[in-house]
Amino acid sequence: MTMADLNGYRDQVWALVDVKSFYCSCEKLFDPKLANKPVVVLSNNDGCCVAMSDEAKALGIQRGAPWFKIEREARRLGVEVRSSNYALYADMSRRFIEELHRFSPYIEQYSIDEAFVRFDGFKLDGLTQYGHEIKQTIQRHIGLPVRVGIGATPTLAKLASQAASRYEAKVNGVIQLDSEHRCRWLLARTDIQSIWGIGARTAARLRSTGLNDALQLSEKNAADMRRLWNVGLARTVLELQGLTCISPGDIDEKRKQILSSRSFASGISAIDELRAALAFHCQRAGEKLRRQGSQALVVGVFLRTNRYKDLPQHNISSAVPLACASQDSYRFLDSALVQLAKIYRPGYEYQKIGVILDELTDANNDHFQLDMFDTSALAEMKRRDLMAITDQMNARFKNGIKPASVIGSTNWHMRQAYRSNRWTTRIDELQIARC
């Protein structure tokens, strides 16, 4: 590993900025009563714990713990609970990314609470202080606590961010890997599975060859790793050695299949309610499809009853190809409704419905294939323009355009018994200050 240029300038320097306990931090920001209290945020239908504050983690609450199992003890210990408030979290994520643009023009969002920032051409010996400035500015402007990891590559920046969390009290939430000694010290203390892009299965295989930590992996020859393993692992080795060869976008590849599904708060037997839920999922799946620039040739629908209840069971799925590949949510809905009518059976209490879009290809207008027997395909190009406008309107006005059946029914919506107000996106839920 060479760090000879770390005393001056470097062509590429990366920082990973992530929000500490993002869901819980958003909840605490708008509810001062939660300060210094243990807080957990629950998954869809208030099922499992998906986010915990530091105080909740100190009590031993584990991610994924079913709330119904731990509720009594958690209440006894003073734990505050909230349902997932996706409207609030998405809006705070947008504000977080906007703040980062103050510090660099090169921002690449990695997840709802993480973003990579490029500091190309910056003086390296001032980046730690710059990281503290980022941390303080975001805390001051939008009230969210962040951690900053800075390294020569995205992989090293990711490891530095993890270390900033692990040693937060000592480094005040900011770590820069600005020397070879510091890099080797951290890599030696990083488990092989903690490296960005290495999953549990690959980690187990690496351990079987005697590679247990990041330092051991960084000392391998990249050409040998490519020959014996794969290109991805060879790139990881080079990244650990300080050579940038992975873009954050490389890790987030296009999905080969789009799924939209959600369990109901309680069982549903009425087909009208199932149609409303199906319309919602067709719209969601279409938005995901268009966001990644794909089109789908096959539409699938599935229905599930609750296998944990002593009730008649009916689990069934269906998939039907379209005449030509499409991006149109309403074409997906037309197909899905026909399939639902065929697979639905009255008398069953359904717990889940979902839509699957399959056989995805790039939505390239130059290679758009029409079908001579499908007259609706002639309008497909105009429908794409309509879908693009719909997506823009929904992004601006928070899903203001949707199928009428979605608006007309609410019984299928997920349970959110502990949801806080959508403070930043709903005028009827704004904070009220009394003087």
Side-chain angles (χ1 to χ4, degrees):
M1 182 184 303
T2 174
M3 297 289 171
D5 56 349
L6 287 180
N7 292 324
Y9 297 88
R10 188 183 175 97
D11 288 341
Q12 285 191 20
V13 181
W14 296 79
L16 180 68
V17 185
D18 75 294
V19 183
K20 178 180 176 181
S21 301
F22 179 63
Y23 287 5
C24 294
S25 294
C26 290
E27 298 292 348
K28 288 188 173 189
L29 176 63
F30 291 95
D31 190 350
K33 297 193 299 291
L34 300 180
N36 302 318
K37 288 188 177 181
V39 178
V40 299
V41 176
L42 304 180
S43 61
N44 292 343
N45 290 314
D46 297 338
C48 301
C49 301
V50 294
M52 295 81 63
S53 66
D54 287 343
E55 297 86 355
K57 293 175 184 176
L59 294 175
I61 298 176
Q62 301 292 320
R63 184 185 301 274
W67 177 243
F68 77 93
K69 287 186 177 181
I70 68 169
E71 180 177 7
R72 180 177 296 180
E73 180 64 11
R75 298 287 193 188
R76 187 185 70 79
L77 294 172
V79 174
E80 296 284 344
V81 60
R82 294 291 184 271
S83 303
S84 292
N85 190 342
Y86 298 116
L88 175 64
Y89 305 152
D91 191 60
M92 293 306 297
S93 176
R94 176 187 61 80
R95 297 176 187 222
F96 164 61
I97 298 301
E98 286 180 354
E99 285 297 319
L100 287 180
H101 279 285
R102 294 172 174 266
F103 300 94
S104 172
Y106 306 108
I107 307 295
E108 191 155 359
Q109 187 168 4
Y110 180 61
S111 66
I112 192 171
D113 62 346
E114 293 179 286
F116 284 93
V117 184
R118 290 257 302 263
F119 294 138
D120 300 358
F122 280 60
K123 185 72 170 154
L124 296 175
D125 58 10
L127 283 181
T128 300
Q129 182 58 39
Y130 202 51
H132 285 291
E133 186 178 338
I134 292 174
K135 182 175 182 291
Q136 293 163 7
T137 301
I138 293 176
Q139 177 75 61
R140 183 169 60 250
H141 287 185
I142 59 176
L144 295 178
V146 302
R147 294 173 294 234
V148 183
I150 303 171
T153 68
T155 301
L156 289 174
K158 183 80 169 176
L159 294 180
S161 176
Q162 294 170 3
S165 173
R166 198 184 320 159
Y167 307 109
E168 186 169 9
K170 295 182 179 180
V171 301
N172 196 22
V174 179
I175 281 185
Q176 180 185 358
L177 300 181
D178 54 1
S179 69
E180 184 172 0
H181 170 74
R182 182 170 286 192
C183 276
R184 292 181 65 84
W185 185 93
L186 178 59
L187 295 181
R189 288 159 178 79
T190 300
D191 182 77
I192 198 76
Q193 194 174 330
S194 297
I195 302 172
W196 187 40
I198 294 183
R201 192 172 298 178
T202 301
R205 291 179 59 200
L206 288 170
R207 289 192 187 100
S208 69
T209 67
L211 296 176
N212 297 302
D213 59 55
L215 180 60
Q216 293 173 328
L217 183 61
S218 72
E219 292 172 339
K220 290 295 181 179
N221 181 279
D224 291 342
M225 297 304 288
R226 176 171 182 169
R227 177 171 54 84
L228 297 173
W229 292 79
N230 54 55
V231 174
L233 199 56
R235 289 178 176 177
T236 298
V237 170
L238 292 173
E239 289 260 324
L240 294 174
Q241 294 172 355
L243 180 63
T244 300
C245 54
I246 296 177
S247 169
D250 293 341
I251 303 297
D252 186 22
E253 297 179 350
K254 283 187 176 182
R255 300 178 187 178
K256 297 179 180 179
Q257 187 182 73
I258 300 276
L259 167 68
S260 180
S261 175
R262 187 178 293 162
S263 297
F264 306 132
S266 58
I268 290 179
S269 299
I271 192 170
D272 287 343
E273 299 291 341
L274 294 174
R275 288 194 188 105
L278 196 61
F280 172 80
H281 290 304
C282 284
Q283 183 184 34
R284 288 287 304 277
E287 289 172 352
K288 293 179 183 179
L289 182 79
R290 294 186 291 273
R291 195 177 301 132
Q292 73 171 32
S294 298
Q295 58 189 7
L297 185 60
V298 174
V299 179
V301 176
F302 65 85
L303 274 173
R304 301 282 187 270
T305 49
N306 191 339
R307 60 177 177 170
Y308 298 106
K309 286 188 175 182
D310 187 18
L311 293 171
Q313 300 294 310
H314 184 230
N315 301 314
I316 191 169
S317 61
S318 171
V320 174
L322 300 172
C324 61
S326 178
Q327 286 189 316
D328 190 340
S329 297
Y330 295 94
R331 294 198 72 187
F332 302 151
L333 179 57
D334 289 343
S335 174
L337 289 174
V338 171
Q339 294 178 62
L340 175 62
K342 291 181 179 179
I343 65 177
Y344 168 78
R345 296 291 181 271
Y348 290 94
E349 188 176 281
Y350 293 104
Q351 186 67 24
K352 191 173 188 177
I353 194 170
V355 174
I356 300 173
L357 303 181
D358 210 346
E359 294 194 25
L360 308 188
T361 55
D362 286 337
N364 189 330
N365 292 342
D366 295 335
H367 298 86
F368 181 71
Q369 181 65 49
L370 297 176
D371 188 284
M372 65 181 295
F373 300 107
D374 183 10
T375 57
S376 64
L378 298 174
E380 181 66 24
M381 296 307 300
K382 291 183 178 180
R383 298 289 297 179
R384 291 190 179 196
D385 293 338
L386 175 63
M387 288 294 103
I389 294 172
T390 300
D391 290 343
Q392 293 173 12
M393 296 291 288
N394 283 338
R396 182 175 180 183
F397 298 107
K398 306 303 175 186
N399 295 319
I401 302 176
K402 59 189 72 174
S405 55
V406 173
I407 302 173
S409 174
T410 59
N411 293 338
W412 53 269
H413 283 292
M414 65 179 176
R415 182 190 299 115
Q416 290 181 302
Y418 313 107
R419 180 181 62 77
S420 57
N421 283 2
R422 292 160 289 191
W423 305 109
T424 64
T425 58
R426 292 290 292 266
I427 195 168
D428 56 329
E429 296 181 15
L430 287 175
Q431 290 271 31
I432 298 176
R434 293 183 174 88
C435 301

